[in-house]
Amino acid sequence: DKMNKKKVLFVGDSHGRYVFHQVAQIYYNTTEGKDGCYEPNTTVYNDPGSPFQRFTYDRLQLSRQWLLNHNESASLDHDFIILSMGHWDAGYPRGYPTPPFRYITGVFRVLQRLREMSPETTKIYVTTVNQHPLGRKMLLCNDWRVPPLIDAYNKRLYGLLAQPQQQQQQQHTNGL
């Protein structure tokens, strides 16, 4: 089956890491007795010598940090890339949010860099930012992952992804 030979890279914050881990557990049928949470000491899916190299994870908390760590000589050989970012931008755990325009500019720059690093045939998918239920962190104003901010991020994300790639380039390179 063709899909068994495809390689998938998950790039993102903790939510991206959880999706990576859960997809790998489901694919390799290792879910029994698991609660779905990522186990930090279980790196079997990301180890270079692991037989589970079909799925890999690359940590991205804030776009500017990730871009500094991925220089121009870096390259990827994945068939699919799943990009998930926004929870750190929304203020957790920093305590303050990235303004929506700066957030979408960061997403654009990461997407652009992933395209540069990847073969032309690589398909890149971007997940939207999910909302968190109101809880203690939000009520204490330590966490800005509230519906209005997440909606603003996602609205800009939909607008960016709906544009043809050339139009994205023109709109988001001015003033970077």
Side-chain angles (χ1 to χ4, degrees):
D1 151 58
K2 287 183 185 179
M3 284 305 292
N4 281 334
K5 296 179 182 168
K6 302 291 184 184
K7 290 173 65 177
V8 182
L9 171 65
F10 293 84
V11 178
D13 52 24
S14 60
H15 285 76
R17 185 181 69 236
Y18 282 112
V19 172
F20 146 73
H21 187 71
Q22 291 165 348
V23 165
Q25 282 185 328
I26 291 166
Y27 183 82
Y28 291 112
N29 202 24
T30 60
T31 57
E32 191 168 338
K34 307 281 184 177
D35 62 6
C37 290
Y38 177 74
E39 300 157 19
N41 297 328
T42 307
T43 58
V44 66
Y45 303 115
N46 240 12
D47 285 344
S50 170
F52 303 116
Q53 277 302 291
R54 175 155 197 241
F55 303 103
T56 52
Y57 168 72
D58 190 7
R59 181 180 179 190
L60 180 154
Q61 294 170 333
L62 295 167
S63 60
R64 67 180 174 275
Q65 293 168 339
W66 186 87
L67 289 163
L68 287 173
N69 294 330
H70 291 78
N71 62 34
E72 294 179 18
S73 65
S75 65
L76 299 170
D77 66 345
H78 294 80
D79 300 287
F80 301 98
I81 298 174
I82 313 297
L83 174 61
S84 170
M85 58 184 284
H87 285 274
W88 277 61
D89 284 289
Y92 181 79
R94 294 183 304 173
Y96 62 91
T98 300
F101 179 76
R102 201 161 5 145
Y103 162 74
I104 202 61
T105 300
V107 171
F108 171 76
R109 292 178 70 196
V110 170
L111 271 172
Q112 186 177 35
R113 186 70 190 106
L114 286 169
R115 286 181 185 131
E116 292 167 0
M117 294 168 64
S118 303
E120 195 174 302
T121 56
T122 300
K123 291 182 178 23
I124 302 174
Y125 298 92
V126 181
T127 65
T128 54
V129 184
N130 63 312
Q131 297 176 359
H132 277 240
L134 290 176
R136 187 171 188 273
K137 288 180 184 175
M138 287 179 199
L139 296 175
L140 294 175
C141 300
N142 293 342
D143 193 336
W144 283 85
R145 292 178 285 181
V146 293
L149 182 65
I150 299 304
D151 290 347
Y153 283 2
N154 286 335
K155 180 179 179 184
R156 283 164 178 77
L157 194 58
Y158 290 136
L160 172 70
L161 299 175
Q163 298 171 2
Q165 190 172 342
Q166 290 174 334
Q167 190 177 348
Q168 290 177 14
Q169 178 78 18
Q170 291 171 350
Q171 183 176 353
H172 291 280
T173 54
N174 298 332
L176 289 178

